[in-house]
Amino acid sequence: MEVINQKQTPKRNFKRSLIVFIGNVLGIYLICFLGLGVEARYLDDIIVLVLFISLVNAILWPILTRIAMPFLVLTFGVGALILNGLLLQFFAPLFDIEIKGAAMILAPLAMAAVTTILSALITIDDDSSYYRSVLRDAEKKRKTEIKDYPGVIIVEIDGLAYEVLCEAIERGEMPTMKNMIDSNHYTLRKWETDLSSQTGASQAGILHGNNEGIVAFRWIEKSNGNQMMQCSGISKVPELEQRISDGNGLLVDNGASRSNLFSGDTDNVIFTFSKIMDFKKLYNKAWYSVFSNPSNFARIIALFLADIIREIWSQITHSLRNVRPRIKRGIVYIPTRAATNVFMREINTSTLIGDMMVGDVDVAYSTYLGYDEIAHHSGVRDSDAWFALREMDKQIKHLTDANKYCPRDYQFVIQSDHGQTNGATFTQRYGQTFEDFVKSLLPEDMTMFAKLSSDEDHFAGSSPFSRDKKKIKKEEKEQQELSDSEVIVLASGNLAMIYLTQWSQRLTYEELNSYFPELIPGITNNEYVGFILVKSQEHGDLAIGKNGTYYLDSGEIEGENPLEGFGDNIVRHLKRTSSFEHTPDILVNSFYDEEADEVCAFEELVGSHGGAGGDQSKPFILYPSSWKVSDDEIIGAENIYKLLKENLAELKK
């Protein structure tokens, strides 16, 4: 592992400072020219104002942000725009300039946007001024004694498969990752998820060393009054963490959690869903690094708005080019993509850099959601997805560059929690939803509840502030429907679950055939179903396909092998899932076309994950080559926890 012994001080870059100055001047002039609330007679006045505001910010901004930090955090950064605008509005009249109305917000946004565009055009990628401001603040909070062992920053790129990463590196989309691998200071490995190849199961295993009982993204608990448990929701995730945590999570020893589903047993959290209702934890000193520079948050908003425009353009071009497979992305998805691909990304990087500059945190874990969100809706290898990975690579560069200025060394682990596999959906292929298909195989008078969407896999998309009366009423209605239903159908990517809730126990294969003789043959004969998992009273666990049955307990195969092409460890995964308390009566996995590398999701997503088939169960981990890691195949998220936990302990020896 390369160790940086000689720490540096971020230097002033005259070229960068000049671009920022020109961008700020042009930004204010643009708002003035468009008549959006800035009135100035001469360009000279704008130039002098920008020079003056730069001096004022250098003196007052650190003080103002420290005083107003609770307000900035509670407004998720919008307060920084207001504060910046108020400074402009207050001092502008001294230079015969008037800033009124919406221009108070538009002016700082335009200043940041023009600066960002100019920096990109002139290919300036120098963050020394940002590092300086963060470092200056960090030195005030730093403990006098610097730790003599390295810390670790773990970056999770949600949903990025090993093969897609390799392809991105080959295409030149991720030069920072390529340099890390080529340096021989890092080792890149493929690992294999559990059967529930989704964030909930993987992060439970990675951050707590325990994902036992997590059947899928959501499941029904017959023994708990047919309650629905899921890997999202402000009440469900904290409960789930209580179940899986033994108090020895990955981050329990002086760790930090940034934008994760679970906390890893640390209280140093930002946007961590299992503790998001604890408002005392919302205010975290790491936020200082986001607002340490007056233009930083305005830059984030400018990038956010640019991504909204990019998504609108993408929807138009995908439609004109008739890209297939394609789903309807809709209006709501547009800001959702920008929130995950830009806002959360930038907050993660800023707070991690702040953690590193202070130097106290021993291990930080942060999830970057953008690629996964985009791959779900545009496709695993779509141009939108490559763009997300290019931007993600820049975040890794910002983090590794920051290491030059930190008081102690930080090592890096870059990994993913699962991959994704492309394909047209079940509804697109079959012309009928999976819910309606199952309903056609059951008696007409049976009441059914179905939920075939796991968009909330992106836990950042939900907020405790969004729990209005309408949403609470909707949840209560859903719970009533669950209680009244005799059959419940759920989906998690290309994995589907069928629960017959008139019975409190899991029905056996024999009972299912006795009560519903058309159900199992109907499902297994569907051309878009790969296999089902059921439990036989006589033979134990069975995987049944169109033309054959795999007796999982004995290893015998009758007819064709229904698990062919689903990986060498699929039997192991199925048997483990079948042992869980809340495994459904029938677990359904879609087909997998090896030649086309496609599955079909039971929900409306182009790229999907949750079941078995293709790259969705083949993520990656990049770790320091100096670490002690066995050459054995890494199977299951719990083994990633062990790998990380053991090496974190070694660093402190």
Side-chain angles (χ1 to χ4, degrees):
M1 172 67 197
E2 182 183 21
V3 177
I4 302 172
N5 294 312
Q6 190 66 40
K7 291 298 179 180
Q8 303 175 23
T9 301
K11 298 177 181 177
R12 293 187 180 275
N13 185 311
F14 176 75
K15 188 176 179 182
R16 171 69 181 174
S17 299
L18 183 61
I19 291 298
V20 171
F21 170 72
I22 294 172
N24 287 344
V25 171
L26 291 179
I28 295 177
Y29 180 78
L30 180 65
I31 300 301
C32 179
F33 179 77
L34 295 174
L36 296 175
V38 173
E39 294 180 5
R41 295 178 62 189
Y42 304 108
L43 179 61
D44 293 358
D45 293 338
I46 295 176
I47 292 172
V48 178
L49 172 64
V50 169
L51 285 170
F52 181 79
I53 285 293
S54 299
L55 181 63
V56 168
N57 277 333
I59 299 168
L60 291 182
W61 189 259
I63 301 168
L64 290 173
T65 51
R66 195 166 293 277
I67 295 169
M69 186 56 65
F71 171 65
L72 303 186
V73 172
L74 289 172
T75 58
F76 295 103
V78 176
L81 285 177
I82 296 171
L83 189 58
N84 213 345
L86 284 172
L87 285 174
L88 279 171
Q89 195 174 49
F90 182 79
F91 289 109
L94 299 177
F95 304 93
D96 293 325
I97 297 173
E98 188 176 359
I99 296 176
K100 56 187 179 181
M104 188 180 78
I105 299 296
L106 292 176
L109 273 178
M111 292 160 72
V114 175
T115 300
T116 303
I117 292 168
L118 289 176
S119 298
L121 290 174
I122 307 174
T123 63
I124 291 180
D125 192 18
D126 176 23
D127 291 312
S128 55
S129 61
Y130 170 71
Y131 292 138
R132 266 200 323 278
S133 57
V134 176
L135 184 60
R136 184 173 57 242
D137 182 72
E139 285 171 343
K140 297 172 186 175
K141 295 185 286 186
R142 186 178 302 149
K143 295 178 180 178
T144 47
E145 190 176 329
I146 304 300
K147 297 176 182 179
D148 59 359
Y149 57 89
V152 177
I153 302 295
I154 305 171
V155 171
E156 178 189 299
I157 308 177
D158 190 12
L160 180 58
Y162 173 87
E163 294 297 338
V164 178
L165 168 67
C166 293
E167 192 173 331
I169 290 171
E170 234 175 79
R171 288 169 52 98
E173 310 286 1
M174 304 188 79
T176 306
M177 287 285 286
K178 184 180 188 304
N179 290 339
M180 293 174 78
I181 296 167
D182 290 348
S183 71
N184 295 321
H185 297 303
Y186 290 89
T187 300
L188 177 65
R189 295 274 300 277
K190 181 194 300 185
W191 66 279
E192 186 173 319
T193 68
D194 305 285
L195 176 59
S196 183
S197 53
Q198 48 87 25
T199 302
S202 289
Q203 282 206 358
I206 294 168
L207 288 169
H208 291 276
N210 177 20
N211 59 10
E212 190 78 16
I214 300 180
V215 182
F217 173 72
R218 58 170 63 92
W219 62 92
I220 296 299
E221 300 187 342
K222 287 187 175 185
S223 61
N224 191 22
N226 291 331
Q227 293 293 306
M228 185 165 67
M229 177 56 74
Q230 59 188 33
C231 300
S232 73
I234 58 176
S235 61
K236 301 296 186 183
V237 175
E239 181 184 343
L240 195 51
E241 181 165 305
Q242 286 183 349
R243 294 185 187 185
I244 62 174
S245 173
D246 64 357
N248 190 34
L250 185 68
L251 309 178
V252 69
D253 192 4
N254 200 33
S257 170
R258 306 287 179 252
S259 300
N260 301 314
L261 193 59
F262 301 110
S263 72
D265 290 324
T266 181
D267 284 331
N268 183 350
V269 296
I270 289 178
F271 289 145
T272 297
F273 217 60
S274 63
K275 297 189 176 181
I276 205 160
M277 285 302 291
D278 190 340
F279 291 102
K280 290 182 292 184
K281 293 183 175 64
L282 182 63
Y283 181 70
N284 187 308
K285 289 181 180 179
W287 278 104
Y288 280 104
S289 57
V290 180
F291 307 115
S292 59
N293 185 304
S295 64
N296 188 44
F297 193 80
R299 182 188 65 86
I300 293 173
I301 296 301
L303 291 171
F304 176 91
L305 295 173
D307 206 62
I308 284 178
I309 295 169
R310 186 175 287 107
E311 170 56 24
I312 293 170
W313 178 248
S314 173
Q315 290 192 21
I316 293 169
T317 55
H318 276 64
S319 179
L320 291 174
R321 289 162 46 208
N322 195 26
V323 172
R324 299 290 178 183
R326 187 174 81 249
I327 60 169
K328 184 178 179 181
R329 276 131 74 171
I331 295 174
V332 174
Y333 170 66
I334 296 172
T336 301
R337 162 180 159 158
T340 55
N341 191 46
V342 175
F343 184 82
M344 298 295 292
R345 178 191 78 198
E346 298 292 328
I347 297 297
N348 285 354
T349 301
S350 292
T351 54
L352 286 175
I353 289 173
D355 292 331
M356 293 168 65
M357 292 293 188
V358 174
D360 181 54
V361 167
D362 287 340
V363 54
Y365 193 105
S366 182
T367 303
Y368 286 77
L369 302 163
Y371 170 80
D372 191 60
E373 183 72 55
I374 288 172
H376 272 315
H377 294 84
S378 295
V380 174
R381 292 174 172 84
D382 186 80
S383 57
D384 290 346
W386 296 130
F387 173 79
L389 291 179
R390 285 197 299 275
E391 295 302 303
M392 184 64 233
D393 191 75
K394 291 177 184 176
Q395 306 308 306
I396 297 170
K397 186 176 188 302
H398 293 328
L399 291 169
T400 53
D401 283 351
N403 205 26
K404 295 180 289 190
Y405 313 119
C406 300
R408 67 192 284 205
D409 288 315
Y410 275 91
Q411 297 183 356
F412 295 91
V413 174
I414 317 295
Q415 64 183 44
S416 55
D417 54 343
H418 55 77
Q420 286 198 31
T421 310
N422 242 45
T425 68
F426 180 88
T427 303
Q428 289 172 338
R429 294 174 189 267
Y430 191 63
Q432 187 180 37
T433 66
F434 189 69
E435 171 190 358
D436 290 337
F437 169 63
V438 172
K439 193 177 290 185
S440 71
L441 302 173
L442 294 168
E444 290 183 7
D445 59 347
M446 286 191 76
T447 55
M448 177 183 286
F449 173 88
K451 198 153 191 178
L452 304 179
S453 169
S454 61
D455 284 348
E456 286 174 307
D457 182 41
H458 295 102
F459 42 91
S462 298
S463 164
F465 304 109
S466 66
R467 282 182 60 76
D468 53 22
K469 289 181 180 179
K470 188 177 179 182
K471 189 168 185 179
I472 293 171
K473 193 172 181 180
K474 183 181 177 183
E475 289 174 357
E476 290 172 350
K477 182 183 177 184
E478 180 180 276
Q479 187 53 56
Q480 187 60 50
E481 288 177 1
L482 276 166
S483 301
D484 295 341
S485 297
E486 297 168 306
V487 55
I488 298 173
V489 179
L490 307 174
S492 178
N494 73 317
L495 195 71
M497 288 134 284
I498 302 172
Y499 292 88
L500 286 309
T501 54
Q502 292 168 285
W503 294 268
S504 59
Q505 80 282 2
R506 181 183 175 190
L507 294 180
T508 65
Y509 171 67
E510 291 81 5
E511 288 172 329
L512 286 163
N513 281 332
S514 172
Y515 301 143
F516 309 104
E518 297 179 12
L519 185 57
I520 288 178
I523 294 171
T524 54
N525 285 326
N526 188 294
E527 61 182 309
Y528 302 116
V529 170
F531 63 85
I532 66 167
L533 172 68
V534 291
K535 195 169 192 69
S536 166
Q537 186 175 354
E538 182 180 353
H539 301 289
D541 296 325
L542 304 178
I544 306 173
K546 295 172 189 58
N547 303 308
T549 301
Y550 199 126
Y551 296 85
L552 300 179
D553 291 354
S554 66
E556 294 180 11
I557 300 172
E558 183 181 281
E560 295 179 9
N561 181 3
L563 302 181
E564 185 70 38
F566 286 96
D568 296 338
N569 300 302
I570 186 62
V571 173
R572 167 181 173 175
H573 293 312
L574 287 172
K575 285 185 65 63
R576 181 174 186 261
T577 297
S578 191
S579 71
F580 294 162
E581 181 183 355
H582 304 298
T583 301
D585 299 299
I586 305 175
L587 188 74
V588 185
N589 200 95
S590 86
F591 82 105
Y592 171 57
D593 183 337
E594 284 189 87
E595 190 174 332
D597 189 28
E598 287 188 348
V599 297
C600 74
F602 296 110
E603 48 188 336
E604 293 306 295
L605 297 174
V606 178
S608 69
H609 57 88
D615 289 338
Q616 63 183 304
S617 57
K618 299 170 185 173
F620 72 92
I621 180 168
L622 180 82
Y623 56 83
S625 299
S626 59
W627 281 19
K628 296 176 182 177
V629 180
S630 168
D631 291 333
D632 294 342
E633 189 178 12
I634 305 171
I635 302 172
E638 292 174 357
N639 283 315
I640 294 292
Y641 166 85
K642 291 174 185 175
L643 183 161
L644 295 170
K645 195 79 169 174
E646 288 168 2
N647 281 282
L648 287 171
E650 282 290 323
L651 290 175
K652 296 183 180 182
K653 289 182 179 178

